Each structure stands twice: as structure tokens, then as C-alpha cells.
Amino acid sequence: MTSHNDTLFTRAQQSTPGGVNSPVRAFRSVGGTPRFITRAEGPYFWDADDHRYIDYIGSWGPAIVGHAHPDVVRAVQEAAARGLSFGAPTEGEIDMAELICQLVPSIEQVRLVSSGTEAAMSALRLARGATGRDMIVKFEGCYHGHADSLLVKAGSGLLTFGNPTSAGVPEDFAKHTLVLDYNDPQQLEDVFARMGDRIACVIVEPVAGNMNLLRATPAFLQAMRRLCTQHGAVLIFDEVMSGFRVARGGAQSLYDIKPDLTVLGKVIGGGLPVAAFGGRADLMKHLAPLGGVYQAGTLSGNPVTVAAGMATLKLIQAPGFYENLSAQTEKLVQGLQTAANDQGIDFCADAVGGMFGLYFRKEQPTSYATMMTCDKEAFNRFFHAMLDAGVYLAPSAFEAGFVSAQHDDAILEATFAAARKAFSALK
Ligand code: KE4
């Protein structure tokens, strides 16, 4: 019998490329039909066939307090009743800016935008405008949204400029982007020694989540901080995913490293489209209308999205919020590891705060190259076995997973029961 998901997917593909508004949702990496979600609550969501799933995506991070939290829904309803958007400043934007600066001490001033892509793109332009330099450094496996300068893969050699990873990105854009290996401090030393005075910025996910979860080594980030300071380059931490996810103060609080600019998103909007970039006031003053770096947005600081964000940021400040979230996520990965090892499956997992990675290999990956040796086919079979059992994981072997404050022990036990069956089917 044709499921409603199949019918909707067929229909969606007529009017939208791939049937989705963001590629990863199309299940191309894992195969099969994407689930069209009709509603969500707490740790669950339901698809068009009214199947319930334990959700470990949480909208790719934003749903950290659980779906449809009554405080967040009420804040959105009350804000919406006062008007959806004014194109003029509101007090709520000041409240949000002040709260972000309070929670992330490296941020002295912040600008609200509507997506992580927009925030990262704007931070790059600000770094280039403030330094008068063109070159940027990023790392293989890190994703910072789809701005042209960031859709670039490593060039043929360490010091050769990048090549576009996407059609439509001119060589002239990509040639200003150097792509290095994540967790390789020596490469950073070499590049800065050769051309440090030409580097506008280094942008990094301090806890990577777009090649699956991969922790930066302290030595890697410390070298980055030292070299950027030494050569006058701007250090940008892209914490769109890790911000308010791995710790209340983000990854920068875990590593005790102060970036010059930080990019935020996801959690700060609680599921509505708001992102942000901010940092040193002497850099931010280069932005229009004060300085020559132009950046703008019709819906930037939108009052309804700010209301969702503020309600979420209030909830995550509750005493013990991150201790509980981290404990539950650690329990999740330990339980999955045990379920796999009991079946003799090559599998390991890692957790940082409320974010986790699942790896079908014997040892924890430590680099992009080792991450790429994970058994993708095994993951895909595991993904579908879990999906059929009502557990929704990220539809790719190279994405991270997310736990909410609503993923209690009963939810974890149900996940382990599904995993034991899924792992046994892999033998
Ligand atoms: P958005 O433009 O999707 O709001 O943010 C881009 C972005 C920037 N920086 C980091 C570290 C990110 O993780 C993201 C977006 N993350 C992906 C998850 N792999 C969003 C999911 C999607 O692309 O549909």
C-alpha cells in the first residue's frame, strides 16, 4: 500500500527540486522515502502515516528544550498577536543582544540575521573588510553554510588555493579560500609562516558536527588562536551547531579559547529562523551604518523569532540544564556502544554536551580522513532498522545527532531496545 509519505514525496518533487527545501532531508545518502512530519512534541514527532518517532535530529539542533515546549509556543503566539514584522527596531532585539553578550563573554557586540549561512557569510565579509585582506582558511569536513567562499574543497597541495565544491562558484571566489586538514596544527604553522600577512581569517567549527561529530584537539585550537593573534588574522568560531548545544557558553567555554568573532544559530532561535554573528567591538564597528562593511536583512531580529529564541535561552539557563542534558547524551552513547559490542559490531560513539556521533568503526575518528573510513553501508542499514522501529537518526553517516531535555530514561531505554534489534540484524 502506498504510504502518505510516498504520495507526498512524489508530489513534492513536481514543485521543488528533489522534493525538499534542504538537500540532506531527501534521504539521498541513506536511501528510501523521507518522512513528511505533521507534528512534534517533546522528544517525538509524527509522520504523514501517523507513525511516531523518537527524534534525534531536533531540527538539526534548535529543539534543545524539546519540540513545542509550552513556554516557547506561548511566547511565539503572544508575539505574533502583536504583529509579525515591523522592519524597525524593537526592544526584544536589545534584550536578545544583551543576553547573547552575557552568555558568550567573547561577544561584545552582536548582529542578528536569519540563517547560519547569512551569519557566517557576514562574519567573513567583516573579517575581510576589517583586515583589508582577501584570503580565508577553512578545514576539510567543516560546513559553514552555502556562501560561495565556503563551498570550497582543498586544492591539490597544501598551499594551493581551493577548488569549488559546488557548481556556480567561480574559480575567482574559490581561489581566495585555503582548505586545511582539521586537527593538524603543523599545517596551520606552515600556512601562516608562508602567507600569514595575507590571511583575513580562519573559520572553524570548534566542535565539528558536519562530518559527523569530531572534537577539535586543544593543540589545534590553541595554535589557531596564537597564529591569528600573531599575524593579525581574525579567528572565527562557527558555533551555529555547538553554541548553547555542547555547553551553555558553547565550545569556546569548553576549550577556554576566546575567538575574535563567533557565529551562532539553531538553538538561539528555538526552531524559528534567527542566527547571529558577533565578537570584538572594534571589529563590529566596521559594519554599516557605522563602517564600510555592508550587511543587512529585512527580517533580521524579527520580533516573533526573537520571542522564540528568548523563551528558549531562558529555559536553558535553568540550574542543571546542561548537566542533565550531557548526562542523558552520555547515557545514550554508552548504551548504544554496549548494544553494539554485545553483538560484536565494530561501532563506537562520542558525546559532547547534548550532541553525539555514531561511528561504524573500531576506534574513535580523530580526523576527516579517519572519519571517512566509517562503514557507511552499515550505518545506512542501522538507520533504516532504527527508523522502522520508530527511532529517527540523522539521515547520513556523516551528520551529528542531538538530544533534547525531554529525552528521559524511558526514551533512552526504548532507543536501546530498538538498537539491540538493529545491531543484531547487522551481524
Ligand atoms: P543554516 O544556513 O542551515 O541555518 O546554517 C548553516 C550552518 C552553518 N554552520 C554550521 C556549523 C552548521 O552546522 C550549519 C547548518 N547545519 C546543517 C546540519 N548539517 C543544517 C541542516 C541542513 O543543511 O538542512
Side-chain angles (χ1 to χ4, degrees), residues 61-86:
I64 196 167
V65 297
H67 287 295
H69 190 290
D71 294 7
V72 180
V73 173
R74 185 180 322 109
V76 169
Q77 288 169 332
E78 289 170 358
R82 296 193 295 268
L84 299 182
S85 179
F86 314 125

Side-chain angles (χ1 to χ4, degrees), residues 21 53 57 155 195 228 238 253 341 344 363 414:
N21 285 302
Y53 301 89
I57 296 259
M195 49 182 79
C228 282
D238 179 347
S253 67
N341 294 349
E363 292 87 30

